[in-house]
Amino acid sequence: MRKQTVIIDTGCANVASVRFAVERLGYQATLSRDPDVVLGADKLFLPGVGTASEAMKNLTERGLVDLVKQVEQPLLGICLGMQMLGTYSDEGDSPVECLGHIPAPNKLMDTAGQPLPHMGWNRVATVNDHPLFDGIAAGSHFYFVHSYAMPVGDYTLAQCHYGHAFSAAINQGNYFGVQFHPERSGKVGARLIQNFLEM
């Protein structure tokens, strides 16, 4: 039976690259914010670009905050989509409340003097053996573009170092997140997306 893969239409992401990455692996991806479609999916992607305040505003206006909280199937947040899974973000004049599925904030990165945003390829180190990173060599490079990040904690699947360590991949229950862009990370990114789809 063909699995149903849905990219949640947050209105704050260029979803074309995620859709193409999924379709290159032989899967069909539907863009939707319809509750029946989202809750009927086998796998979900939550992409995001821009600022946390605008992203959460979009999710609220589209009725997606409560919808995402009802999700029981595996969901993968990408970049800002991962950050939205946290408790709040310091991006803005005052803290922005996020979805709260991961017990961690998003803080401006302490880069020890290195420039922000953290942009380009960087090495990712897994901290435990997880199917999301199956077949991906330790220390593989992924592509990042961000200035805010989650600290390393019990929910961390993989971490990266840019001035200081931060969470590069996270998991709590059925919610997963990657701070990097797997759809822009070549073969290792494609393998991670495939792993998620086949988990």
Side-chain angles (χ1 to χ4, degrees):
M1 182 174 161
R2 199 81 174 150
K3 290 185 176 180
Q4 180 68 24
T5 302
V6 172
I7 302 169
I8 298 175
D9 185 7
T10 61
C12 61
N14 177 6
V15 299
S17 57
V18 177
R19 173 181 268 171
F20 292 151
V22 170
E23 291 178 347
R24 279 196 298 268
L25 295 168
Y27 290 82
Q28 293 299 311
T30 301
L31 176 67
S32 182
R33 54 177 167 159
D34 180 274
D36 291 336
V37 174
V38 170
L39 296 178
D42 294 295
K43 295 288 169 65
L44 293 164
F45 288 88
L46 181 70
V49 294
T51 65
S53 57
E54 278 299 309
M56 289 306 301
K57 179 182 176 184
N58 278 9
L59 261 63
T60 300
E61 290 176 347
R62 290 170 177 239
L64 292 172
V65 172
D66 290 336
L67 180 59
V68 172
K69 289 181 179 179
Q70 298 176 51
V71 166
E72 296 181 352
Q73 62 271 60
L75 177 150
L76 179 66
I78 296 176
C79 195
L80 183 59
M82 165 177 152
Q83 294 181 17
M84 286 190 286
L85 295 176
T87 52
Y88 68 89
S89 174
D90 275 343
E91 187 175 10
D93 296 331
S94 58
V96 177
E97 183 179 355
C98 295
L99 296 169
H101 299 298
I102 306 293
N106 297 284
K107 300 275 193 179
L108 184 67
M109 297 176 72
D110 180 356
T111 65
Q114 297 183 80
L116 281 176
H118 170 218
M119 183 167 61
W121 296 87
N122 205 342
R123 190 183 303 272
V124 169
T126 54
V127 297
N128 60 38
D129 187 21
H130 192 278
L132 192 63
F133 286 89
D134 184 50
I136 296 173
S140 291
H141 287 76
F142 290 84
Y143 189 82
F144 292 83
V145 184
H146 64 118
S147 297
Y148 290 78
M150 283 187 189
V152 174
D154 292 341
Y155 47 81
T156 303
L157 295 180
Q159 64 183 37
C160 183
H161 196 276
Y162 187 70
H164 292 85
F166 64 90
S167 290
I170 56 171
N171 170 230
Q172 183 84 359
N174 60 305
Y175 295 96
F176 296 82
V178 288
Q179 182 59 69
F180 49 81
H181 285 273
E183 77 281 8
R184 297 171 65 182
S185 295
K187 291 182 179 179
V188 291
R191 180 57 189 259
L192 185 138
I193 291 173
Q194 182 176 0
N195 288 343
F196 174 71
L197 292 170
E198 295 180 355
M199 278 194 314

